[in-house]
Amino acid sequence: MEKFVFFGGKGGVGKTTVSSAYALKCANADQQTLVVSTDPAHSTSDVFDQQFDDDPRPVDGVDNLHAMEIDPDEEVEEHLMETKRALGDQVSPALVNEIDRQIEMAHQTPGAYESALFDRFVDVMRDSDDYDRVVFDTSPTGGTLRLLSLPEFLQGWIDRLLAKRQQSVKLFERAAIGNQEPRRMLDGDPIIARLQARKELFEYAEETLREQASFFLVLNPDTLSIRETERAVAGLSEYDLAVEGLVVNRLTPAPDDDEQGRGARYLRDRVATEQDRLATIRSRFEVPLVAAIETRVAEVRGDLLREVAAELDVSVAPDATASD
Amino acid sequence: MEKFVFFGGKGGVGKTTVSSAYALKCANADQQTLVVSTDPAHSTSDVFDQQFDDDPRPVDGVDNLHAMEIDPDEEVEEHLMETKRALGDQVSPALVNEIDRQIEMAHQTPGAYESALFDRFVDVMRDSDDYDRVVFDTSPTGGTLRLLSLPEFLQGWIDRLLAKRQQSVKLFERAAIGNQEPRRMLDGDPIIARLQARKELFEYAEETLREQASFFLVLNPDTLSIRETERAVAGLSEYDLAVEGLVVNRLTPAPDDDEQGRGARYLRDRVATEQDRLATIRSRFEVPLVAAIETRVAEVRGDLLREVAAELDVSVAPDATASD
């Protein structure tokens, strides 16, 4: 298994449960593990019955396991403040208000949320030397993966800005031979530096997702979830990212064999329908089914989490090829 | 009820079923009704067992009812082509390739999907004179609603562009007194015209959503769905758009009273949990609960759709205040 493991899927399918269970399994196998949650609703704080925040914190009673929770709304807000600050330093005071307005608008467009969250993921990946394994309870999807094609565009902007700067520097140099100021200006341009940093961030993200990450998708046994999973597999493969396994969650439990009545009929119908869908999933996807987990009435935590972890047929061993 | 009725909620909660049932109810009450679906998975084509596409088409066997389906991916593609064409006409051939690259990038950012879809909604609303009621199986959410604040920003750009143009025209006029060309240039600027059209579109959207639209949210009896619904209510109210009712869908049916065994225990546990959640929904939201619909094992269509329609406590009468 790669160092970074993502459990993707639509809201409500049970990603947090599955990723927490997998993280627990890794920790129990002596991997230093960090589980990262971005789901504000059903969070790792619920699963482990302990409050987590933006900084990794040890999980009580479990060796080798840390957890953190990222609040996407806060990320957008921080991203906004950071961008304002960085650009505010580089323009004249007269322009600051106008720039702030434009940055605010950019952050109010649909998609700002995903972009800010993606940035934060990359931060976590870059800063994970202390861990053998980092488990995310979400996965970049179509919209976010598109960010991976940004480096090419950013390079275009950087090249053009550099050309313009070089022209200016030449003019300066002709006007003041021997003065080193113009050349320093070329080296230290803060806008170019920022574009360069963004480009490198996305390049790092692309390389890391391709070479050191494993993707799993969690789905429920309904037609909508199956179609969405097909779309997610296609979206990831467009960027050469292969899904390694599917986890089907929330299967309806069967009644006892001798049970009769309205409830038993309802459950048998449902179980039969879901078995058909499992067959569909097995035949339609090239990706293997690594777990089929029944619905629990109680919240999954403690013993139940260990039960779910045992049902996951997902390796916890470090990947030999990734250890270099 | 207002002319435009939106049934929002997360994917998979049953928006298409509920909106189709409500549209059927309106049509049966002699309202000329159009139902608009944007959900590629569980579509009105499934519900009515008839293929629909981007143009409204009569529903077989139901008087007064038309249906259409919008494919969001196609909308993004068309939006892309249209933008390229419109801007391509206005720049020098040398710039066309570069402009195309930039437009393509803009369409690959997260959020392009929502923006293109929103444009299409507004088109449908503007072009709905033939109908008394238009029912959408989705609702603009936080990210998309932010587009409603665009007019203010667009006005800023328009004002600045107009000021620049006026300066140029003055210079031209000084150079060639009596020549009408410069003034025509001011009137006919294609970029300003485009910004102006966008601004008017968003203004129309805001006014129409505020004055002629009703919003309902569909949810399932689970904690995630409840939290997401709270967020959706808050998101809409931020733009002064009030939610008129909640539809709870996919309630688990109870077993017979005398049923025993694993299945009956499971169902009773679930029903009890869901009743608690219904109580939570009733107490936590100021919005009334207008329907609580049990899960059907079979696909909801035909007779089942009429059953669901009968369970919806949502008026179909035209709104007196909206008829002017």
Side-chain angles (χ1 to χ4, degrees):
Chain A
M1 195 53 47
E2 304 291 349
K3 173 166 180 177
F4 303 106
V5 181
F6 292 84
F7 287 91
K10 282 277 160 176
V13 294
K15 297 186 295 293
T16 307
T17 302
V18 173
S19 50
S20 301
Y22 178 66
L24 181 71
K25 200 168 162 146
C26 294
N28 287 342
D30 290 329
Q31 307 272 311
Q32 280 301 325
T33 305
L34 171 65
V35 58
V36 184
S37 169
T38 60
D39 189 336
H42 183 60
S43 62
T44 40
S45 290
D46 287 338
V47 173
F48 294 111
D49 209 3
Q50 180 185 346
Q51 202 56 49
F52 298 107
D53 60 19
D54 198 48
D55 282 316
R57 206 173 280 198
V59 175
D60 293 342
V62 185
D63 288 342
N64 313 318
L65 185 58
H66 282 69
M68 67 186 285
E69 280 183 9
I70 296 174
D71 179 334
D73 289 325
E74 263 176 42
E75 288 310 314
V76 174
E77 192 55 33
E78 247 170 61
H79 199 268
L80 175 71
M81 300 307 290
E82 203 276 320
T83 313
K84 277 186 182 176
R85 197 194 47 68
L87 284 179
D89 289 351
Q90 289 151 27
V91 298
S92 70
L95 272 177
V96 164
N97 279 346
E98 183 53 32
I99 296 259
D100 279 0
R101 264 169 55 98
Q102 300 288 337
I103 296 174
E104 269 166 35
M105 185 179 74
H107 279 79
Q108 290 194 346
T109 52
Y113 184 98
E114 288 85 350
S115 307
L117 200 58
F118 188 75
D119 267 32
R120 191 72 184 89
F121 278 6
V122 181
D123 280 349
V124 171
M125 291 197 288
R126 273 184 159 174
D127 193 27
S128 65
D129 286 349
D130 292 349
Y131 304 101
D132 304 310
R133 175 134 312 134
V134 183
V135 183
F136 293 88
D137 77 342
T138 186
S139 150
T141 54
T144 318
L145 288 168
R146 286 173 182 154
L147 293 171
L148 297 179
S149 50
L150 272 180
E152 191 206 337
F153 284 98
L154 291 175
Q155 189 57 54
W157 295 348
I158 291 168
D159 290 346
R160 262 167 293 154
L161 272 171
L162 274 176
K164 291 258 177 232
R165 280 276 151 158
Q166 253 147 359
Q167 266 183 333
S168 318
V169 169
K170 267 193 205 133
L171 289 173
F172 267 107
E173 283 182 335
R174 268 186 220 156
I177 295 164
N179 185 341
Q180 290 303 302
E181 199 57 30
R183 195 138 296 281
R184 269 207 296 283
M185 198 175 102
L186 185 62
D187 290 338
D189 185 302
I191 300 282
I192 291 176
R194 200 170 160 81
L195 284 172
Q196 192 68 39
R198 297 295 293 163
K199 190 194 144 200
E200 280 161 14
L201 181 118
F202 289 117
E203 277 172 349
Y204 166 85
E206 187 178 26
E207 196 186 308
T208 309
L209 288 179
R210 211 158 271 168
E211 295 175 8
Q212 293 186 60
S214 297
F215 298 89
F216 291 85
L217 293 172
V218 183
L219 68 162
N220 292 161
D222 60 65
T223 48
L224 178 65
S225 195
I226 295 172
R227 286 201 222 188
E228 277 166 351
T229 305
E230 287 184 300
R231 218 175 305 156
V233 171
L236 283 157
S237 81
E238 225 178 281
Y239 291 86
D240 283 334
L241 304 173
V243 176
E244 294 188 22
L246 302 177
V247 176
V248 179
N249 192 25
R250 296 198 201 290
L251 286 164
T252 301
D256 288 332
D257 287 345
D258 59 351
E259 248 183 284
Q260 301 297 332
R262 181 176 186 254
R265 278 196 305 277
Y266 167 80
L267 287 177
R268 282 197 190 100
D269 261 5
R270 254 193 117 65
V271 168
T273 307
E274 291 175 5
Q275 288 302 320
D276 285 351
R277 289 185 189 142
L278 277 179
T280 304
I281 291 167
R282 284 201 181 87
S283 69
R284 201 181 295 173
F285 290 89
E286 289 180 21
V287 181
L289 194 68
V290 294
I293 300 168
E294 269 188 15
T295 301
R296 268 80 176 172
V297 172
E299 300 265 7
V300 176
R301 51 171 71 162
D303 287 344
L304 271 184
L305 194 65
R306 270 180 290 278
E307 261 182 56
V308 171
E311 290 179 38
L312 286 175
D313 184 18
V314 181
S315 158
V316 294
D319 195 86
T321 61
S323 61
D324 55 353
Chain B
M1 196 51 49
E2 303 291 349
K3 174 167 179 176
F4 303 106
V5 181
F6 293 84
F7 287 92
K10 281 280 160 174
V13 293
K15 297 187 296 293
T16 307
T17 301
V18 172
S19 50
S20 300
Y22 177 67
L24 181 71
K25 200 168 162 146
C26 294
N28 287 342
D30 290 329
Q31 308 271 311
Q32 280 302 324
T33 304
L34 172 65
V35 57
V36 185
S37 169
T38 60
D39 189 336
H42 183 59
S43 61
T44 42
S45 291
D46 287 337
V47 173
F48 295 111
D49 209 4
Q50 179 187 346
Q51 203 54 49
F52 297 106
D53 60 19
D54 197 48
D55 282 316
R57 206 174 279 198
V59 175
D60 293 342
V62 185
D63 289 341
N64 313 318
L65 185 59
H66 282 68
M68 66 185 286
E69 280 183 8
I70 297 174
D71 180 334
D73 288 327
E74 263 176 42
E75 289 309 316
V76 174
E77 192 54 33
E78 248 170 61
H79 198 269
L80 176 71
M81 301 306 291
E82 203 275 321
T83 313
K84 277 186 181 175
R85 197 194 47 68
L87 284 179
D89 289 350
Q90 289 152 27
V91 297
S92 71
L95 273 177
V96 165
N97 279 346
E98 182 53 30
I99 295 261
D100 279 1
R101 265 168 56 96
Q102 299 288 336
I103 296 173
E104 268 166 36
M105 184 178 75
H107 280 80
Q108 290 194 345
T109 51
Y113 184 98
E114 288 84 351
S115 307
L117 200 58
F118 187 75
D119 267 31
R120 190 74 185 90
F121 278 6
V122 181
D123 281 349
V124 171
M125 293 197 286
R126 272 185 160 174
D127 193 27
S128 65
D129 286 349
D130 293 349
Y131 303 100
D132 304 311
R133 175 133 313 133
V134 183
V135 183
F136 294 88
D137 77 342
T138 186
S139 151
T141 53
T144 317
L145 288 168
R146 286 173 182 154
L147 293 172
L148 297 179
S149 50
L150 271 180
E152 190 206 336
F153 284 99
L154 291 174
Q155 189 57 54
W157 294 350
I158 291 169
D159 289 346
R160 263 167 291 154
L161 273 170
L162 274 175
K164 291 258 177 230
R165 279 274 151 158
Q166 252 147 359
Q167 268 185 331
S168 317
V169 169
K170 268 194 204 131
L171 289 172
F172 266 108
E173 282 181 336
R174 267 185 222 157
I177 294 163
N179 185 340
Q180 290 302 303
E181 199 55 31
R183 195 139 295 282
R184 269 207 295 283
M185 198 174 101
L186 185 62
D187 290 341
D189 185 302
I191 301 282
I192 290 175
R194 200 170 161 82
L195 284 173
Q196 192 69 40
R198 298 295 293 163
K199 189 194 145 200
E200 279 161 17
L201 181 118
F202 289 117
E203 277 172 349
Y204 166 84
E206 187 178 26
E207 197 186 307
T208 309
L209 289 180
R210 211 158 269 167
E211 293 176 9
Q212 293 186 60
S214 296
F215 298 89
F216 292 86
L217 293 172
V218 183
L219 69 161
N220 293 161
D222 60 66
T223 48
L224 178 65
S225 195
I226 295 171
R227 286 201 222 189
E228 277 166 349
T229 305
E230 287 184 299
R231 219 177 301 155
V233 170
L236 284 157
S237 81
E238 227 180 280
Y239 291 87
D240 283 333
L241 304 172
V243 176
E244 294 188 21
L246 302 177
V247 176
V248 179
N249 193 24
R250 297 199 200 290
L251 287 164
T252 301
D256 289 331
D257 287 345
D258 59 352
E259 249 182 283
Q260 302 297 331
R262 181 175 187 255
R265 279 195 306 277
Y266 168 79
L267 287 176
R268 282 195 189 102
D269 260 6
R270 253 194 117 65
V271 168
T273 306
E274 291 176 5
Q275 288 303 320
D276 284 351
R277 289 185 189 144
L278 277 179
T280 304
I281 292 168
R282 285 200 178 89
S283 69
R284 201 182 294 174
F285 290 88
E286 287 180 21
V287 182
L289 195 68
V290 295
I293 301 168
E294 267 189 15
T295 301
R296 269 80 176 171
V297 173
E299 299 265 7
V300 175
R301 50 169 72 162
D303 287 344
L304 271 184
L305 194 64
R306 269 180 291 278
E307 261 181 57
V308 171
E311 290 178 38
L312 286 176
D313 184 18
V314 182
S315 159
V316 295
D319 195 87
T321 60
S323 61
D324 53 355

